[in-house]
Amino acid sequence: MSKVAIIGCGAIGSTIAKAIDSGLVKAELIAIYDIVIEKCVDLSRSMMRMKPLICTDLECLLINKPDIVVEAASQEAVKSHVPYILEKGVDTVVLSVGALLDPQVMERIREASVKGRSRLFVPSGAVCGIDGLKALSIVGFKKVKLITRKNVKSVDEKSLLNLGYKPSDITDSTVVFKGSAEEAVVKLPFNINVAATLKLATDSEVEVEFIVDPKTPRTVHELIAESEASRIRVIVENVPHPDNPKTSYLAALSAISLLKRLIEERVVIGT
Ligand SMILES: NC(=O)c1ccc[n+]([C@@H]2O[C@H](COP(=O)([O-])OP(=O)(O)OC[C@H]3O[C@@H](n4cnc5c(N)ncnc54)[C@H](O)[C@@H]3O)[C@@H](O)[C@H]2O)c1
């Protein structure tokens, strides 16, 4: 049976761990790691079948040789841990996709994966249409645009303050950011992984508009992509994850679906 280890025992990491524990993903959860150890302990206590090793460092996470490590922690965790894991020959799933737009990080990841003969996987996350974008990237794009609308409660407060907005002052729909995907992942590191995923899937300039809307109960991503082969318009209306309103529930489900594909599927559907 495939052995999985998880970095980050928050909303996404815990949802994935529970999917393994329930047997939905046919794997063994061998280790979990979080900078806040209580998060690991709480998650481990909630498990019915699995008794993962609780780790406070990366060596511990790798000691029992996982087949797949899932990163569901932070951009910092990607930068400091993922190249090392790949170099050790372990396939890795990354959720904190924004980190991958840093060219130096991507270069280290590419080198490490060649050295370790391992692969990095990025789930579609909180957006849909990645299959079509990957296919269209063969002919290129005239335009790729992402318009994201989030409730103020789902937006990281510190990021908003850095953009010059006090959350309590936003009483109406307000565009708080317009710019490239590269700028978006730096200015809104906890809220705009989707922009990074689109950038990686299209290998094209991605215009991002981020709207804070106190009236929307959902996180809405509208993706517009124009190419000579197709015009794509996708609107995804996501329910916030019950344990972390900054994260869409779909992002956790997407990671579970990717794990099932990597571990179980003999017939693979979709690009
Ligand atoms: N790809 C997508 O579409 C998508 C969607 C939503 C969230 N995300 C990203 O996925 C990641 C996890 O999201 P979440 O909602 O579970 O977050 P969360 O805040 O609920 O949980 C993150 C956990 O990781 C731990 N952590 C942070 N840095 C760490 C490090 N360096 N080493 C070990 N543990 C660390 C934290 O203590 C926390 O328990 C975030 O980076 C988030 O931005 C991606």
Side-chain angles (χ1 to χ4, degrees):
M1 190 174 265
S2 296
K3 295 188 283 186
V4 176
I6 296 176
I7 306 175
C9 301
I12 295 180
S14 298
T15 307
I16 296 169
K18 286 171 190 167
I20 297 173
D21 190 49
S22 71
L24 178 65
V25 178
K26 292 178 183 44
E28 188 188 351
L29 181 64
I30 59 162
I32 51 178
Y33 163 36
D34 197 296
I35 38 171
V36 181
I37 184 135
E38 293 78 19
K39 292 272 204 172
C40 294
V41 173
D42 289 349
L43 177 58
S44 173
R45 282 200 184 123
S46 74
M47 311 247 101
M48 304 298 283
R49 297 189 309 134
M50 303 284 157
K51 284 287 158 249
L53 188 63
I54 291 177
C55 294
T56 51
D57 61 50
L58 192 58
E59 290 303 335
C60 163
L61 194 83
L62 300 179
I63 200 159
N64 290 323
K65 304 199 179 310
D67 300 298
I68 301 173
V69 169
V70 180
E71 174 285 323
S74 61
Q75 291 194 24
E76 274 320 302
V78 175
K79 289 177 191 173
S80 48
H81 300 322
V82 170
Y84 183 76
I85 300 167
L86 290 165
E87 203 175 302
K88 290 281 170 195
V90 182
D91 288 345
T92 307
V93 174
V94 161
L95 268 302
S96 307
V97 202
L100 304 178
L101 294 201
D102 178 335
Q104 286 178 351
V105 174
M106 204 45 158
E107 184 57 28
R108 283 172 55 217
I109 281 177
R110 285 191 203 286
E111 281 173 16
S113 64
V114 170
K115 209 166 163 188
R117 294 171 174 240
S118 51
R119 294 206 289 170
L120 180 90
F121 296 92
V122 176
S124 301
V127 75
C128 302
I130 298 301
D131 50 352
L133 291 180
K134 278 174 62 183
L136 290 174
S137 71
I138 293 167
V139 290
F141 294 91
K142 292 177 193 141
K143 169 182 169 158
V144 183
K145 182 165 183 178
L146 171 70
I147 304 168
T148 293
R149 182 178 292 272
K150 281 198 179 201
N151 191 291
V152 67
K153 292 191 205 115
S154 297
V155 184
D156 179 54
E157 187 175 339
K158 204 167 146 209
S159 306
L160 268 184
L161 289 171
N162 286 340
L163 287 167
Y165 295 89
K166 206 170 150 200
S168 54
D169 289 349
I170 301 182
T171 52
D172 222 333
S173 175
T174 308
V175 178
V176 299
F177 173 84
K178 265 186 182 188
S180 67
E182 289 87 337
E183 286 172 84
V185 299
V186 173
K187 299 215 162 135
L188 293 152
F190 303 104
N191 286 112
I192 200 80
N193 288 283
V194 165
T197 308
L198 296 183
K199 172 77 197 172
L200 294 169
T202 58
D203 195 20
S204 176
E205 292 302 310
V206 179
E207 292 172 49
V208 180
E209 193 172 308
F210 191 85
I211 303 165
V212 176
D213 182 351
K215 294 189 186 81
T216 181
R218 298 196 174 201
T219 293
V220 182
H221 297 293
E222 180 176 359
L223 153 68
I224 300 147
E226 287 172 16
S227 86
E228 67 180 63
S230 306
R231 180 171 199 274
I232 291 185
R233 184 159 169 254
V234 176
I235 299 178
V236 192
E237 299 181 6
N238 286 326
V239 173
H241 193 291
D243 297 333
N244 181 359
K246 293 195 219 66
T247 285
S248 295
Y249 187 34
L250 175 64
L253 297 177
S254 163
I256 292 170
S257 176
L258 173 62
L259 271 184
K260 285 177 75 63
R261 177 178 187 157
L262 296 178
I263 292 168
E264 298 166 22
E265 281 180 20
R266 293 278 148 248
V267 177
V268 177
I269 313 292
T271 305

